[in-house]
Amino acid sequence: MLYFVLKYLHVIGASVLLGTGAGIAFFMLLAHRTGDTATIAAVARIVVIADFLFTATAVVAQPITGVALAWQAGYALSEGWIALSIALYIVTGAFWLPVVWMQMEMRNLASEAAKAGTPLPARYVRLFWLWFAFGFPAFAAVLGIFWLMIARPAIEW
């Protein structure tokens, strides 16, 4: 029974990472495209909250449930598909952590512009495109992890 509880929690966590990441990207992109500073500020506020509430919780839970699940199932963490999943998880984190900071900065810049009734500053635009670019490798890494969890291919080191 413990195995199935761990597996359930791990799959839910992975789904939250993928779904929240995709949802945040979608809403931030659409808000940005409006060009309206108040809309961008409001959406960015919600995005930052969602990232801390959902994504950060899943980021903490995934290694815990993953290690426990591997142990319960009798897998070594050095097994190829698990080791590659861990590497991709680290890659995801390396892109996600700066993205969280960028989202907070974009939120602040958009809020200041909305209050002042001014256009978005150039710094916001630079951060947005950097944030946008960082999303691709992070999202690809999460998709790779999903594939590895499902397929569990034999990978030799």
Side-chain angles (χ1 to χ4, degrees):
M1 182 64 166
L2 178 59
Y3 171 80
F4 290 109
V5 169
L6 289 169
K7 190 172 188 175
Y8 176 77
L9 293 174
H10 196 66
V11 169
I12 292 295
S15 300
V16 167
L17 284 176
L18 182 64
T20 304
I24 283 171
F26 177 76
F27 289 115
M28 279 294 289
L29 178 61
L30 290 185
H32 174 79
R33 287 176 46 95
T34 69
D36 180 63
T37 56
T39 299
I40 295 166
V43 170
R45 261 191 307 279
I46 294 166
V47 159
V48 168
I49 292 168
D51 234 355
F52 278 104
L53 185 62
F54 298 109
T55 311
T57 302
V59 163
V60 171
Q62 283 307 100
I64 295 167
T65 58
V67 168
L69 188 57
W71 178 76
Q72 187 71 22
Y75 288 115
L77 296 181
S78 60
E79 185 148 342
W81 69 272
I82 295 176
L84 184 53
S85 294
I86 293 168
L88 288 173
Y89 191 78
I90 291 167
V91 167
T92 302
F95 283 96
W96 176 70
L97 288 172
V99 159
V100 172
W101 174 81
M102 288 179 223
Q103 289 170 173
M104 291 187 296
E105 288 294 305
M106 289 187 302
R107 173 200 61 196
N108 296 343
L109 292 167
S111 293
E112 290 168 11
K115 285 178 191 168
T118 60
L120 293 165
R123 183 164 182 260
Y124 168 88
V125 175
R126 282 191 307 273
L127 282 171
F128 175 82
W129 288 112
L130 191 58
W131 171 87
F132 187 78
F134 272 42
F136 287 97
F139 193 71
V142 171
L143 290 177
I145 294 167
F146 258 85
W147 180 80
L148 289 166
M149 287 190 331
I150 293 166
R152 292 186 235 163
I155 300 172
E156 299 295 326
W157 295 103

